[in-house]
Amino acid sequence: MTRGIALPLAALATLALALGVRLGVGARPPTETEIIEAAAALYVAETGGAPTDCAARPSAAPGVHLVVTCAAGDGTPWAAAYDPRGRKLPADALAQDGEPAT
């Protein structure tokens, strides 16, 4: 291969590799820990409670990956359902799972 073709081809291959790595890392779903920490932060922002008030469990409801429940010292329940991509689901997803809605 001539030098005039090899250098642009190497640059293009490097650019494609960098773009592939960037898109691949961005497509990684959040871990369960990341989902729980985000839910606990939302709970703290909404109620003023502590993140340690929260726990999570898997769900049998379709499309629901985790249900995060939090209980404040006064016993007020707080729950949120999350899909496998870490998106918070509407409260009706909790009704399918049997958890109290927020």
Side-chain angles (χ1 to χ4, degrees), residues 36-100:
I36 295 165
E37 288 174 348
L42 180 63
Y43 165 74
V44 169
E46 288 180 2
T47 67
T52 55
D53 296 340
C54 301
R57 63 174 177 77
S59 174
V64 180
H65 180 61
L66 283 176
V67 175
V68 179
T69 55
C70 304
D74 62 0
T76 306
W78 184 95
Y82 291 85
D83 72 1
R85 301 290 305 159
R87 294 177 293 228
K88 185 177 178 190
L89 298 172
D92 62 342
L94 289 170
Q96 296 173 2
D97 193 60
E99 286 292 319

Side-chain angles (χ1 to χ4, degrees), residues 1 5-22:
M1 227 188 268
I5 294 175
L7 289 177
L9 187 59
L12 184 61
T14 303
L15 180 64
L17 175 66
L19 182 62
V21 168
R22 170 103 165 90

